Structure formats: structure tokens, C-alpha cells
């Protein structure tokens, strides 16, 4: 691991490693096929700074309004000895009435040092697991997970212990559940994030010789109901997400596999001057970044600081990934926009397995031409080219926003 | 107005003791302490003037935040967070007490105590955590309460919440029955508060028949008492054990809690 650690440090350059949190881990597992992100995260490079220097600053992230709304919602749930939260958990987890003990772990006395908080969290959770100390609601525990050899601190909103002796991760989110349905993207991200906490809890117990089965593999999401501020709790099975996170963590442990194909001398160092301003030429940085394969998807925009760079690269290559998984699935077996267009226009003969897709594409092209008032071009799959006009791709109008 | 009389006397006594302490500090050439005492003296004088000059009153006089909070805490009888204190104040007392005015109160009280210990008849202090006897975040108590009541054990947040719900319900009932003047705005605030509390207590709300069920103070109090009976004994034991330890602390720490100050300049991030 030493040589790998040295190589990772060389990749990162002079800057200290950036901390992971549950959000970055969840983002990583959202696109496990992306070696670029896996590598940059493994070496702890500051992706935000790198993207800015490479000319593609990240423009997303959480809005301050969303953050304030989230804080407010959480505060309401935890006010008055977490009375509202307790009422929900009694309903959802069938928490018995006597289970009310509340353990605040946000500070240790006035101290908010992470190491101390983490130790305190371990002590209190282990004591509760062994039944030595009372504890039902553990508010803001600080967990730790080894990621690529680096300890990462993680802070769930709440961990609740049910009387039957299992710990449940409770994640408080401010996106609404309307008519029993949450925005799938938001819900998936929240469950993934909670799954990271489950893994961290399991690891903590395992490390101290407690059966990790004491951690429930279902997580509880607490969200506002409909358009108001009334909270509702939903229990979600997170086994799949937990398995994904574990796989991802193993992969980061096997970081050698990611490092192996890289040319020597590759680095994402920004060469900062004394004031911390990057001095590395952007072209050179971009060239080095491009030597690590990426796998761009539209969802990356919301989760990864490098998304802008990868998107422009994917567009240059004419990759169909730019249009999202739906389009890529429909056009399975075709990689580029050029190939899809050529099939649609009949300028290219489809292979045997492309015949179905080619037929669908030509049909779409005919419809498009009709709508645009252009003369239809009769052609059937397998026939010769029917024209050489260059025009806009059919998919671009549908997926152009991606 | 008997209250005012007593408060004025208390303030006068306090000014006298502050002047004595100030003189001592000046003799000892302790300029830092003298500065603190002068500031405290000026604050007290201002309070005295506000209270002693009723002619200048336009709107109903606003009590200092500490006195407003003290009234509320006395009504509740348990440790409470600024937001609850503010809500209860709005429901039962004239004038308003925004929670933001309470945020710095704890620090002011501690400063005042340290500059002239015991000069005031009561101080607003933090609740103390049962495990470390450290100040519990955001919970205010009154220094004259028995230690047990100022300690927050694992079951105490729930017990205090239920106790507060009982006290608030009882107060609502008493006001309704006594027919005392109760401005409709405050009354509405009280009912909203009751509704909110009831949502967190099992069986405190009537079964929803049609539309939203309105909280009935008698039912809320009964439901809270029922659950209270489950936790009371455990909580009492936990608090008593911690109070026993707290009694061994020095005066200041017993009132304001043990500080576990972070070691400055030490990052704990591993590599």
C-alpha cells in the first residue's frame, strides 16, 4: 500500500487531502464506472479547485435557501426533546413508550473536536448496544470510516435504537413527499447517504467486537409531507445501496488497479504559489486529467465538481452518454452521436444487431422531417445512403438540456 | 406595583454591593475587574432608572429579558430552550420576548456572576448534562432551583417536555376558568402552542373525526401525566446520581457547568 499511497500523494500534489463526507461518498457510488472520479477522490484532490483551474467551474451545489429550510425542518423535529421525531418513530419503528432516552452527541461539553466527539460517540453507542447505558435517540453522532486508507468523519442526523436492540439510521431531509411519492433523484441520494452511515456504524461495531447485525439495513427518511411542514417518516430498505457502498469502498482499497494503467509523471497538482493561487497551466492540467478515463452522465452535474469538464469532453467525442441513461439505453450498442445520425439518415448500413435500432431511428428521422416540413426520404434498413445533408441530430432537441 | 417596589430595592442593594466591589478592585489596582464591575454597575443603574421613572412610560414597560425569562421558567418549572420560553411568554405574558434576546443571556449572566458573585437574587444558568456536568446546549434554568431539576439526564428532555406540557395545559385551563383578561392574540398563541405540544404526546389529541382535531388542555395534561408516570422514576434516579456529583463542584461550576475547552490549534484530522 505504501507505493500506492506515495503515488496517490504525487497525484494530489502539494495540497492537503480534502475530506470526504457522506454526500461525496454517495456521489461516488452513483457513478461507480467513473475512474476519474474514483481516482481523484482516492487521492483526496480538491476537485472543485481543479475544475475551476481547468476552466469548468462547478455551478451547482446546495442553495442557501434549501440549506436554511433543511436546518429549520430538522430543528422543529428535534425541539422539545425531539418530541415530534419521537412521535414519528413510535409510529414507524413501533418504538415502545419507555424508549425516550436522548443522547446529544453534537458536542462533548463545549468541545466540538472531531476526534473527541467520535470517541464519545463510540463509547455511548457501544454502551447502549451492551445495555449498560440508556439511549434511544443519538443526536448527531460522529462516525468514522476508512476510505482509501484515510479516515473520514461522517455525521448522520440521528441514530435511533429500537427496543429490540437494533440501531436505525434516521436521515432528515427537507424535500417533500407529495402524495406518498418523493422526487426519485432526491430520495435515491438520501438513501445512498444513509447507507454510507449504516456501513460506518456496522464497521464501528465490528471493530469493537459487536455483531454488525445490530445495525438495521433499512433506514428511516423523515421528510415534510405534501406542501406543508408536517413531517412524515418512511422506512426504506437500503440493502442494495449498502452493498454498492461496500463494493465501492473495496474498490478504493484496491486503488492499485486504478493507478496501474496511468502513465508515470501524471499529476493533478495545481502548483499553488505562497498565497495558494494555482499556477499550473490549465491546458497542461486538462491534458493530464484527460488521461484518466471518465464516464460522464447528466446526473454528474448535480454531484461532481468535475462534471463540466467531463461533459464538454463527452460532447467533443459525440458520446451518447450526454443525453442520459434513457437515450443511451434505447440506443444500446451505438456509442456516438455520429453513428446514431448516420443510421437515422441511412448513410451507414447497420450491422445485424443494430437493425432494430436503425429502423427505430429512421422512423424517428421521418417523423422529424415531416414535422420540420422537409421532404421525406424513403429508405429502408440495409439500403444505400439516401442523401448527404448535414443537419441537427434527432436526439439533441430532446436531450439538449442535459 | 408591589413587585416594582421589591425589584427596585433589590436593584439598589445590588448597586451598593457593586460599588463596594468596585472600590475594592480600584484599591487592588485590578483594572480589568474594575472595568467589568463598572459596566455591570452601569447596566444595573439603567435597569433601576427604567423601573423608577414610571412617568416616562409610554407603552407598557418592557422588563429586562432576564426577568421575562425568569417568569416563564417559573411557570414551566423545568429547563427550557429559548424558543419554548419565547412561545410561552407570548402566550401568557404581555409584551414580546424574541428567542434571539435569550441567546446571549447565559453568557451575560455568567459574566455578571463572575464579576460579583451572588449579588443578584437569582441567575439564569444553563442546565447541566448528567454525564459531564457541562452546560447543556441551549437549555436555561434558574440558579435557585434544586440541583436535580437543573440536571439533564438521558430521560430528562422527555420528562421536561411532558412536565412543560402539563404546566402549560394547566395554565390555559386556569386562565379560561378565572376569566382573567387574556388578549385574544395571546390566547390564540397559547392554543397554537398547545396544539403543537399535543402532536408529540400519545393520545393527547382527540381521534380525528372530521377535519383537524383541536387540542383540549385537560386531555393534553392527562395524556402527558400518563406518559410521565413511565419515565419519572428512571429520570429521578439519573438526576439524583448526577446531582450528588455536582454538589462537590465549586460555586461557579455548579451554576454554569464544567467547561471542556478545546485544545486550540490542534486539528484532529488523520492522514
Amino acid at each position: 500500500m505504501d507505493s500506492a499511497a506515495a503515488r496517490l500523494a504525487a497525484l494530489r500534489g502539494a495540497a492537503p487531502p480534502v475530506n470526504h463526507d457522506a454526500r461525496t461518498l454517495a456521489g461516488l457510488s452513483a457513478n461507480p464506472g467513473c475512474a476519474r472520479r474514483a481516482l481523484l477522490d482516492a487521492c483526496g484532490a480538491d476537485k472543485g479547485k481543479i475544475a475551476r483551474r481547468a476552466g469548468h467551474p462547478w455551478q451547482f451545489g446546495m442553495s442557501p435557501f434549501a440549506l436554511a429550510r433543511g436546518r429549520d425542518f430538522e430543528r422543529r423535529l428535534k425541539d422539545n426533546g425531539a418530541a415530534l421525531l419521537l412521535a414519528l418513530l413510535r409510529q414507524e419503528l413501533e418504538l415502545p413508550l419507555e424508549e425516550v432516552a436522548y443522547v446529544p452527541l453534537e458536542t462533548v461539553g463545549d468541545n466540538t473536536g472531531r476526534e473527541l466527539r467520535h470517541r464519545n460517540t463510540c463509547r455511548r453507542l457501544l454502551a447502549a448496544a451492551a445495555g449498560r447505558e440508556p439511549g434511544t435517540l443519538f443526536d448527531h453522532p460522529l462516525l468514522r470510516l476508512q476510505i482509501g486508507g484515510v479516515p473520514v468523519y461522517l455525521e448522520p442526523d440521528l441514530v435511533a435504537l429500537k427496543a429490540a436492540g437494533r440501531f436505525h439510521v434516521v436521515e432528515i431531509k427537507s424535500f417533500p413527499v407529495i402524495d406518498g411519492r418523493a422526487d426519485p433523484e432526491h430520495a435515491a441520494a438520501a438513501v445512498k447517504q444513509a447507507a454510507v452511515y449504516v456501513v460506518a456504524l456496522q464497521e464501528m461495531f465490528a471493530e469493537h467486537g459487536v455483531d454488525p447485525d445490530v445495525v438495521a439495513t433499512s433506514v428511516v427518511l423523515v421528510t415534510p409531507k405534501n406542501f406543508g411542514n408536517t413531517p412524515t417518516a418512511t422506512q426504506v430498505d437500503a440493502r442494495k445501496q449498502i452493498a454498492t457502498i461496500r463494493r465501492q469502498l473495496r474498490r478504493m482499497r484496491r486503488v492499485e488497479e486504478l493507478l496501474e494503467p496511468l502513465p508515470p509523471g501524471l499529476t493533478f497538482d495545481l502548483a499553488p504559489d505562497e498565497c495558494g493561487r494555482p499556477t499550473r497551466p490549465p491546458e497542461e492540467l486538462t491534458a493530464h486529467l484527460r488521461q484518466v478515463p471518465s464516464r460522464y452522465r447528466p446526473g454528474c452535474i448535480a454531484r461532481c465538481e468535475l462534471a463540466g469538464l467531463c461533459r464538454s469532453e463527452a460532447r467533443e467525442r459525440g458520446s451518447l452518454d450526454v443525453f442520459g441513461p434513457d437515450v443511451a439505453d434505447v440506443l444500446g450498442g451505438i456509442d456516438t452521436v455520429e453513428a446514431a445520425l448516420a443510421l437515422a439518415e441511412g448513410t451507414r448500413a447497420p450491422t445485424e444487431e443494430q437493425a432494430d435500432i436503425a429502423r427505430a431511428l429512421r422512423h424517428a428521422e421521418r417523423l422529424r422531417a415531416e414535422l420540420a416540413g422537409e421532404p421525406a426520404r424513403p429508405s429502408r434498413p440495409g439500403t444505400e445512403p439516401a442523401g448527404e445533408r448535414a443537419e441537427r441530430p434527432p436526439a439533441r432537441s430532446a436531450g439538449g438540456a442535459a | 406595583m408591589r413587585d416594582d417596589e421589591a425589584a427596585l430595592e433589590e436593584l439598589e442593594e445590588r448597586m451598593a454591593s457593586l460599588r463596594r466591589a468596585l472600590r475594592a478592585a480600584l484599591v487592588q489596582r485590578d483594572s480589568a475587574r474594575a472595568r467589568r464591575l463598572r459596566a455591570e454597575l452601569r447596566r444595573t443603574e439603567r435597569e433601576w432608572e427604567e423601573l423608577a421613572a414610571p412617568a416616562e412610560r409610554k407603552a407598557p414597560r418592557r422588563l429586562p429579558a432576564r426577568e421575562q425569562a425568569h417568569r416563564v421558567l417559573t411557570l414551566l418549572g423545568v429547563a427550557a430552550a429559548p424558543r419554548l420560553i419565547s412561545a410561552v411568554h407570548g402566550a401568557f405574558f404581555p409584551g414580546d420576548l424574541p428567542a434571539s434576546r435569550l441567546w446571549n443571556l447565559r453568557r451575560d449572566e455568567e459574566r455578571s456572576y463572575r464579576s460579583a458573585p451572588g449579588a443578584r437574587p437569582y441567575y439564569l444558568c444553563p442546565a447541566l448534562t448528567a454525564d459531564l456536568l457541562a452546560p447543556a446546549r441551549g437549555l436555561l434554568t434558574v440558579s435557585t432551583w434544586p440541583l436535580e431539576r437543573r440536571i439533564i439526564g438521558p430521560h430528562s428532555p422527555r420528562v421536561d417536555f411532558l412536565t412543560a406540557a402539563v404546566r402549560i395545559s394547566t395554565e390555559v385551563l386556569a386562565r379560561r376558568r378565572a376569566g382573567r383578561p387574556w388578549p385574544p392574540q395571546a390566547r390564540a398563541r397559547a392554543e397554537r402552542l398547545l396544539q403543537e405540544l399535543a402532536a408529540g404526546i400519545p393520545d393527547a389529541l382527540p381521534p380525528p373525526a372530521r377535519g383537524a382535531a383541536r387540542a383540549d388542555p385537560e386531555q393534553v395534561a392527562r395524556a402527558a401525566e400518563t406518559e410521565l408516570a413511565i419515565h419519572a422514576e428512571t429520570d429521578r434516579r439519573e438526576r439524583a446520581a448526577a446531582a450528588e456529583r455536582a454538589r462537590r463542584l465549586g460555586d461557579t461550576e455548579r451554576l454554569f457547568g464544567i467547561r471542556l475547552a478545546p485544545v486550540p490549534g490542534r486539528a484532529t484530522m488523520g492522514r
Side-chain angles (χ1 to χ4, degrees), chain B:
Chain B
M1 291 296 98
R2 297 232 13 109
D3 279 359
D4 279 3
E5 237 8 77
L8 278 170
E9 261 168 45
E10 178 205 320
L11 286 171
E12 279 155 16
E13 255 170 56
R14 180 161 162 64
M15 288 190 298
S17 74
L18 279 168
R19 285 200 190 99
R20 274 196 299 278
L22 179 59
R23 198 177 59 214
L26 288 173
V27 169
Q28 288 162 9
R29 292 175 191 281
D30 185 347
S31 58
R33 186 168 150 75
R35 200 166 343 124
R36 270 204 313 274
L37 285 166
R38 263 201 209 101
E40 179 67 22
L41 182 60
R42 235 170 279 137
R43 254 202 307 276
T44 318
E45 280 169 349
R46 261 201 309 276
E47 274 179 42
W48 183 89
E49 266 165 45
E50 267 182 38
L51 208 58
E56 284 176 29
R57 275 181 224 160
K58 295 179 199 109
R61 181 175 44 83
R62 186 151 100 166
L63 286 171
R66 67 184 304 267
E67 277 174 50
Q68 289 178 304
H70 180 246
R71 276 177 167 188
V72 173
L73 286 168
T74 308
L75 186 150
L76 291 175
V78 289
R83 229 178 298 270
L84 181 64
I85 295 178
S86 166
V88 174
H89 192 274
F92 300 120
F93 300 105
D96 61 336
L97 175 60
S100 57
R101 285 184 66 204
L102 299 169
W103 289 338
N104 292 327
L105 206 55
R106 202 181 95 183
R107 196 162 306 141
D108 292 347
E109 292 282 296
E110 183 167 352
R111 208 174 296 136
S112 152
Y113 179 85
R114 281 181 192 272
S115 60
R120 294 180 167 187
Y122 67 83
Y123 291 87
L124 298 181
C125 317
L128 304 182
T129 60
D131 54 348
L132 299 168
L133 302 177
R137 282 186 77 173
L139 288 177
L140 285 174
T141 63
V142 183
S143 60
T144 50
W145 286 355
L147 253 178
E148 281 81 356
R149 219 197 290 174
R150 294 191 40 235
I151 299 244
I152 296 292
H155 289 82
S156 312
R158 185 66 184 169
V159 166
D160 284 356
F161 163 70
L162 294 169
T163 312
V166 174
R167 296 285 193 108
I168 290 165
S169 310
T170 316
E171 183 69 18
V172 170
L173 273 177
R175 297 239 170 178
R176 278 192 196 164
R177 283 189 189 137
R180 262 193 285 165
W182 196 9
Q185 245 182 337
R187 198 187 170 115
R189 277 198 287 260
E191 263 149 31
R192 209 164 41 237
L193 175 63
L194 198 65
Q195 194 79 29
E196 248 173 65
L197 298 178
I201 307 170
D203 306 321
L205 285 170
R210 224 164 288 158
R214 293 251 304 201
D216 161 42
E218 256 174 286
Q219 190 181 351
V220 176
R222 220 175 316 119
E225 299 264 19
T226 311
E227 197 191 322
L228 208 45
I230 303 176
H231 316 301
E233 184 47 31
T234 322
D235 183 50
R236 196 198 55 74
R237 254 185 291 121
E238 285 164 357
R239 287 186 195 229
E244 201 47 51
R245 282 186 289 127
R247 269 183 252 285
R248 278 175 246 148
L249 296 176
D251 288 341
T252 313
E253 288 191 324
R254 200 174 56 236
L255 288 179
F256 297 97
I258 299 176
R259 283 287 154 78
L260 295 152
V263 184
R266 283 275 310 268
T268 45
M269 180 63 204
R271 293 267 326 242

